[in-house]
């Protein structure tokens, strides 16, 4: 049953990653292109040296960081300070985390973010 619940969370997350890449034309996208495509990017806020953009129509990065909204999963586009694409960060609400590894960061488990609503994060790029 736990595996079924996990697959119900991870399958939509994987689909979101694929759609995100398609919507922005792949990994060569810039933050300006993401903003033009309707992604919520706050160019005033650097988080650990990166800009984060939330998908159109979903909770904004500010909503997630402040706890105003806490969706089960979020796939953020992450950009370097120069606006170039760094990769994708997957967020999973901590109460839904089931111990899966984060192979992209070579971590045994996803990083716990200390936010008003706890999330686990896995970066799909070299951090």
């Amino acid at each position: 049953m736990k595996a079924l619940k996990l697959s119900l969370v991870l399958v939509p997350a994987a689909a979101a990653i694929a759609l995100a890449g398609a919507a922005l034309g792949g990994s060569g996208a810039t933050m300006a292109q993401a903003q033009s495509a309707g992604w919520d990017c706050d160019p005033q806020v650097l988080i650990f040296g990166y800009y984060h953009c939330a998908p159109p129509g979903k909770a904004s990065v500010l909503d997630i960081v402040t706890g105003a909204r806490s969706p089960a999963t979020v796939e953020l586009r992450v950009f370097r300070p120069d606006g170039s694409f760094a990769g994708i960060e997957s967020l999973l609400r901590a109460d839904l985390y089931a111990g899966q590894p984060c192979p992209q960061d070579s971590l045994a488990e996803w990083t716990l973010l200390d936010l008003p609503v706890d999330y686990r994060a896995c970066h799909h790029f070299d951090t």
Side-chain angles (χ1 to χ4, degrees):
M1 186 60 153
K2 194 176 216 179
L4 176 61
K5 285 182 184 178
L6 181 59
S7 68
L8 291 175
V9 170
L10 293 181
V11 169
I17 291 171
L19 289 174
L24 293 177
S27 62
T30 65
M31 193 164 98
Q33 290 170 316
Q35 290 170 306
S36 294
W39 286 67
D40 174 60
C41 307
D42 187 338
Q44 304 299 314
V45 179
L46 276 174
I47 301 171
F48 294 110
Y50 293 95
Y51 295 108
H52 293 67
C53 301
K58 304 291 182 183
S60 71
V61 173
L62 184 60
D63 285 343
I64 294 164
V65 170
T66 62
R69 293 182 59 196
S70 55
T73 63
V74 181
E75 298 296 325
L76 302 174
R77 301 288 283 191
V78 181
F79 297 90
R80 295 176 190 90
D82 68 0
S84 65
F85 180 71
I88 294 174
E89 179 177 346
S90 300
L91 297 181
L92 176 63
R93 218 175 48 226
D95 62 317
L96 301 173
Y97 180 69
Q100 61 272 35
C102 179
Q104 291 78 7
D105 271 348
S106 299
L107 299 173
E109 63 182 43
W110 292 29
T111 304
L112 179 62
L113 303 178
D114 184 23
L115 301 172
V117 175
D118 287 336
Y119 276 92
R120 294 283 184 153
C122 182
H123 300 95
H124 303 277
F125 60 99
D126 290 329
T127 55

